[in-house]
C-alpha cells in the first residue's frame, strides 16, 4: 500500500497499535538497493507490519549538494519494498513535511558536528529532524538503520535516548558489491572509470583493519595507512580518513586492547561523494 498523506499514515499506525501488532520502520531516501532490502527483510521477520519511508529530505542537504539530482524512482521503490516484505510505503511530499511557516529543528549536539557534520554543516540536524517527524508519523516499535551511515546511527541513538522515543534501534551490517564497494543510491553517479576506482575505499578500510590486527595502536599511524592506500588509487579527494572510538567518535592518540574502533572514510571521486566505515575490535 502507498500512503502519501501524513494523517493517513498516523491513522494506519494508530489502528495497528490498537490491534496489538508491532510496527517496524525503515527510513530511506528511496532509489532502493540491496542494502535497503536487507533492512526491510529483517524488519519483516522481526515485526508484524513494516513501513518503508521514501523521502528525499531537503533539510539534510547543504547548498550546492545533490538534492536536485538525487536519483528518484518511486514506482520501482514501491515494487522492491513490497517484494522485500513492506506493508506500507510512506512517501510524503516536501510541502506536507515542511509547510510554509515550518520552523522546528532537532539538534543532537557534538556527535553530529565531527566528520560528516564538519563537511556537511547542518546535515545531522536535518537527519534528526526528519527522523523525529517520521517516528511521530509512523509510530514504530523498532527502527532499522544501516551501519553504512555509521555516524548517523550514533545520532539516531542519541535522538531516541534524549527525546525519550519508545523505539528500539536496530543497526544492520553494510551490504556490499562483490568488489567491496558499499551499496549506495549515489553509486549510479559513478562513471565506469570512477566506479572501478571506488573499490579502493573498502580495500583502504581493510588495510587499516589489518594494521590494527597486526598490532598498530597509534591513531595517526592507522590514519596514515588509510591516506596512503587511498592515494595509491590516483585522483581521489579525501574529506577524511580517520580512526575513532566507536562509541563516542573521540580521537585518542592511541587505542588499547578491547577498544572498539570505527574506521571512517569520506572521499570524492569525480563529482560523487562516497562514505564508508568498518568496525574493528582491538585485539
Ligand atoms: P538512504 O536511502 O541512503 O538514506 O539510506 C536509508 C537507510 O539504508 C539508512 O539507514 C542507511 O544506512 C541504510 N543503507 C544505505 N546503504 C546501505 C548498505 N549498503 N547496507 C546497509 N544499509 C544501507
Amino acid at each position: 500500500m502507498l500512503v502519501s498523506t501524513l494523517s493517513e499514515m498516523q491513522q494506519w499506525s494508530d489502528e495497528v497499535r490498537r490491534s496489538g501488532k508491532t510496527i517496524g520502520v525503515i527510513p530511506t531516501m528511496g532509489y532502493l538497493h540491496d542494502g535497503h532490502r536487507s533492512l526491510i527483510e529483517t524488519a519483516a521477520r522481526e515485526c508484524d507490519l513494516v513501513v518503508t519511508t521514501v523521502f528525499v529530505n531537503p533539510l539534510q542537504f547543504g547548498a550546492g549538494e545533490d538534492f536536485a539530482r538525487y536519483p528518484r524512482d518511486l514506482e520501482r521503490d514501491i515494487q522492491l519494498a513490497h517484494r522485500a516484505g513492506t506493508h506500507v510505503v510512506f512517501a510524503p511530499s516536501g510541502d506536507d513535511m515542511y509547510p510554509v511557516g515550518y520552523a522546528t529543528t532537532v539538534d543532537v549536539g557534538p556527535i553530529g558536528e565531527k566528520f560528516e557534520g564538519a563537511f556537511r554543516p547542518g546535515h545531522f540536524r536535518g537527519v534528526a529532524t526528519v527522523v523525529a517527524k517520521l517516528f511521530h508519523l509512523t509510530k514504530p516499535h523498532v527502527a532499522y538503520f544501516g551501519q553504512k551511515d555509521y555516524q548517523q546511527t550514533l545520532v539516531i541513538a542519541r535522538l531516541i535516548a534524549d527525546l525519550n522515543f519508545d523505539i528500539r534501534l536496530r543497526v544492520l551490517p553494510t551490504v556490499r558489491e562483490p568488489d567491496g564497494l558499499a551499496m549506495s543510491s549515489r553509486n549510479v553517479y559513478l562513471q565506469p572509470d570512477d566506479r572501478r576506482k571506488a573499490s579502493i575505499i573498502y580495500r583502504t578500510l581493510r588495510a587499516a583493519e589489518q594494521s590494527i590486527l597486526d598490532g598498530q595502536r597509534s591513531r595517526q599511524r592507522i590514519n596514515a595507512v588509510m591516506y596512503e592506500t587511498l592515494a595509491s588509487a590516483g585522483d581521489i579527494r579525501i574529506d577524511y580518513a580517520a580512526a575513532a572510538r566507536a562509541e563516542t567518535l573521540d580521537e585518542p592518540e592511541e587505542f588499547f586492547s578491547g577498544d572498539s574502533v570505527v574506521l571512517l572514510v569520506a572521499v570524492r571521486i569525480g563529482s560523487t561523494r562516497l562514505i564508508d566505515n568498518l568496525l574493528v575490535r582491538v585485539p
Side-chain angles (χ1 to χ4, degrees):
M1 180 171 64
L2 174 66
V3 170
S4 309
T5 69
L6 314 195
S7 57
E8 193 190 346
M9 187 67 248
Q10 286 184 311
Q11 242 168 43
W12 182 89
S13 296
D14 282 340
E15 278 162 31
V16 170
R17 278 188 165 258
R18 264 201 300 279
S19 73
K21 293 190 166 139
T22 59
I23 301 171
V25 71
I26 302 97
T28 82
M29 297 206 297
Y31 217 71
L32 303 181
H33 50 67
D34 281 355
H36 301 112
R37 192 159 63 83
S38 102
L39 298 178
I40 297 168
E41 286 174 349
T42 305
R45 281 196 301 275
E46 297 179 350
C47 301
D48 296 322
L49 291 160
V50 176
V51 180
T52 299
T53 73
V54 174
F55 181 61
V56 185
N57 173 34
L59 215 60
Q60 71 189 67
F61 288 79
E65 291 187 357
D66 57 345
F67 174 71
R69 70 163 183 150
Y70 196 86
R72 292 161 169 90
D73 188 344
L74 185 58
E75 281 314 309
R76 186 174 147 275
D77 287 345
I78 291 169
Q79 296 212 347
L80 191 154
H82 283 119
R83 273 203 306 273
T86 296
H87 299 87
V88 168
V89 171
F90 177 48
S93 76
D95 288 345
D96 284 348
M97 288 292 273
Y98 303 112
V100 173
Y102 186 91
T104 304
T105 58
V106 181
D107 190 325
V108 292
I111 199 76
E113 284 161 14
K114 304 185 74 172
F115 300 119
E116 278 305 276
F119 282 88
R120 306 183 67 187
H123 170 65
F124 286 120
R125 187 179 315 118
V127 169
T129 302
V130 80
V131 169
K133 286 169 68 68
L134 292 170
F135 283 170
H136 286 306
L137 292 163
T138 61
K139 310 186 188 212
H141 298 81
V142 191
Y144 295 82
F145 287 84
Q147 191 199 310
K148 158 76 175 27
D149 298 278
Y150 182 79
Q151 191 175 3
Q152 173 171 277
T153 66
L154 297 183
V155 165
I156 302 301
R158 194 75 262 153
L159 169 76
I160 287 176
D162 288 356
L163 296 189
N164 310 99
F165 281 103
D166 190 9
I167 295 171
R168 190 158 74 92
L169 171 62
R170 289 271 283 126
V171 177
L172 300 183
T174 303
V175 177
R176 300 179 177 284
E177 301 285 356
D179 68 347
L181 178 66
M183 290 194 179
S184 165
S185 307
R186 289 189 168 97
N187 290 352
V188 296
Y189 299 151
L190 290 165
Q191 299 299 315
D193 228 34
D194 294 336
R195 171 63 190 83
R196 275 190 292 278
K197 238 183 240 172
S199 67
I200 194 66
I201 300 169
Y202 187 57
R203 281 185 280 135
T204 294
L205 294 169
R206 294 302 297 264
E209 174 190 50
Q210 194 57 51
S211 78
I212 295 172
L213 299 179
D214 290 343
Q216 186 56 259
R217 298 288 179 269
S218 152
R219 181 176 56 79
Q220 288 189 12
R221 288 301 311 151
I222 298 165
N223 290 358
V225 169
M226 290 195 274
Y227 273 88
E228 283 156 21
T229 311
L230 287 169
S232 73
D235 191 20
I236 292 181
R237 279 186 300 165
I238 304 172
D239 278 357
Y240 56 84
R245 284 218 175 88
E247 301 85 1
T248 57
L249 301 185
D250 287 344
E251 297 174 275
E253 281 307 302
E254 261 188 80
F255 297 107
F256 295 97
S257 179
D259 283 355
S260 281
V261 174
V262 63
L263 305 166
L264 297 161
V265 168
V267 297
R268 280 177 279 175
I269 303 180
S271 61
T272 309
R273 190 171 181 284
L274 299 172
I275 63 170
D276 200 354
N277 68 85
L278 198 63
L279 284 169
V280 185
R281 172 72 69 137
V282 179

